[in-house]
Amino acid sequence: MRILGLMTTACTLLAVATVSLGAVTVTSLPDSSMVPGGIAVIPTGTDAVAGSFRDQRILLADFEGVQYAIIGIPLNVTLGSQQFHLTLADGAKESLQFAVEYKEYTEQHLTITNTRQVNPNADDMVRINRESGEMNRAFSSWSDSLTPVFSMQVPVDGVRSSSFGLKRFFNGQARNPHSGMDIAADEGAPIVAPAPGVILTTGNFFFNGNTIILDHGHGLITLYCHMNTIDVAPGTVVAAGDLIGKVGQTGRVTGPHLHWSVNLNNTRVDPALFLTD
Ligand SMILES: [Zn+2]
């Protein structure tokens, strides 16, 4: 009897230690919005140590003693029932469902005078494909050591000129929908980190111009494009409000603005869901 009791205690301790590996304790949650380009915030009802959605690792967070799965929903998702998967501390698997509802996104027609930015040549395509691989690697990276903060401040003061999800046409030709939020501001206006993190990548990209990718931990990663100057380097640790660069018009633009994207589980979601004001 006594031996059995000791074993139970040992197993309980082991289970607690294992659980802490999977979920991160957070002080706020993002708004749940189960639409294409939105975020599903779902209590798991258990203490999972890992989760996945469409083969991408998902963020598991403990908030006020309850574990939540925080899942980025792609713009191209099929409406209706979607399934995600959890791994429990004892190795058991569990699947949960959520329902994605329709959201109307309007069209936006833009005129680009540099036609190579709409119909790139063969050399451009080599560069574009290489850069798209780099972006994808950055967006799918994962750091356990950073604690994501979901309540963000606006990275630049300005006018929200194009919202997330617009169905885009450049010079009359259909292109990918808008994967971020555009904020128009004067060239040189300061851009600040909207939440704490570590600079993951910086560079100059064909479409995105001067670019920063900022890692907030557990798959929450933000992107800043078309900058005039980049004032940080990979590895720089930033607090919310720290200067990271200045507004510019590098890459495919119609004028100076910041293109800001927010990424969860390698999926671009609506940045407005994270803004506190
Ligand atoms: Zn944009």
Side-chain angles (χ1 to χ4, degrees):
M1 286 283 278
R2 188 172 293 168
I3 291 168
L4 192 64
L6 280 173
M7 281 176 69
T8 307
T9 308
C11 287
T12 308
L13 286 173
L14 183 66
V16 169
T18 311
V19 164
S20 69
L21 289 175
V24 59
T25 301
V26 297
T27 53
S28 69
L29 294 174
D31 291 337
S32 190
S33 172
M34 296 188 207
V35 298
I39 310 167
V41 181
I42 301 170
T44 63
T46 183
D47 279 321
V49 294
S52 67
F53 175 59
R54 298 184 14 149
D55 295 327
Q56 301 286 334
R57 187 173 177 183
I58 57 169
L59 198 161
L60 297 174
D62 287 328
F63 177 67
E64 296 180 343
V66 177
Q67 185 184 74
Y68 293 84
I70 300 176
I71 305 168
I73 305 169
L75 274 168
N76 67 359
V77 74
T78 308
L79 299 182
S81 182
Q82 290 289 329
Q83 207 171 43
F84 65 100
H85 309 283
L86 297 171
T87 303
L88 309 187
D90 62 3
K93 309 277 184 191
E94 212 173 85
S95 293
L96 294 179
Q97 295 196 340
F98 62 97
V100 179
E101 293 179 354
Y102 176 77
K103 180 174 178 182
E104 176 79 38
Y105 287 109
T106 54
E107 289 185 0
Q108 184 183 41
H109 292 259
L110 295 167
T111 303
I112 302 287
T113 47
N114 181 349
T115 53
R116 250 177 77 188
Q117 290 175 334
V118 180
N119 299 109
N121 67 31
D123 286 346
D124 295 337
M125 282 313 299
V126 171
R127 180 181 168 190
I128 289 163
N129 289 332
R130 186 184 65 232
E131 291 178 353
S132 132
E134 271 180 59
M135 291 273 170
N136 195 49
R137 272 192 300 282
F139 280 134
S140 53
S141 69
W142 188 277
S143 64
D144 275 313
S145 57
L146 295 168
T147 299
V149 171
F150 300 111
S151 56
M152 298 188 182
Q153 65 183 80
V154 181
V156 64
D157 287 329
V159 178
R160 285 186 208 172
S161 49
S162 292
S163 53
F164 173 89
L166 292 168
K167 296 169 187 163
R168 280 198 147 165
F169 296 81
F170 290 102
N171 303 351
Q173 300 173 48
R175 290 292 180 268
N176 286 334
H178 193 220
S179 58
M181 171 190 284
D182 285 352
I183 306 170
D186 289 340
E187 181 122 19
I191 299 167
V192 301
V198 175
I199 304 300
L200 193 58
T201 307
T202 65
N204 180 274
F205 295 86
F206 185 83
F207 290 122
N208 292 336
N210 290 333
T211 294
I212 293 175
I213 299 181
L214 173 52
D215 189 356
H216 304 278
H218 292 247
L220 180 66
I221 294 165
T222 53
L223 170 77
Y224 307 80
C225 301
H226 312 307
M227 303 172 85
N228 176 335
T229 60
I230 293 170
D231 296 339
V232 286
T236 305
V237 176
V238 295
D242 282 358
L243 179 77
I244 57 171
K246 300 190 186 72
V247 170
Q249 41 188 331
T250 52
R252 185 173 63 186
V253 296
T254 56
H257 73 280
L258 173 69
H259 170 96
W260 178 42
S261 283
V262 180
N263 175 90
L264 274 169
N265 48 274
N266 195 17
T267 298
R268 261 53 75 202
V269 296
D270 189 352
L273 296 169
F274 296 86
L275 291 176
T276 47
D277 52 1

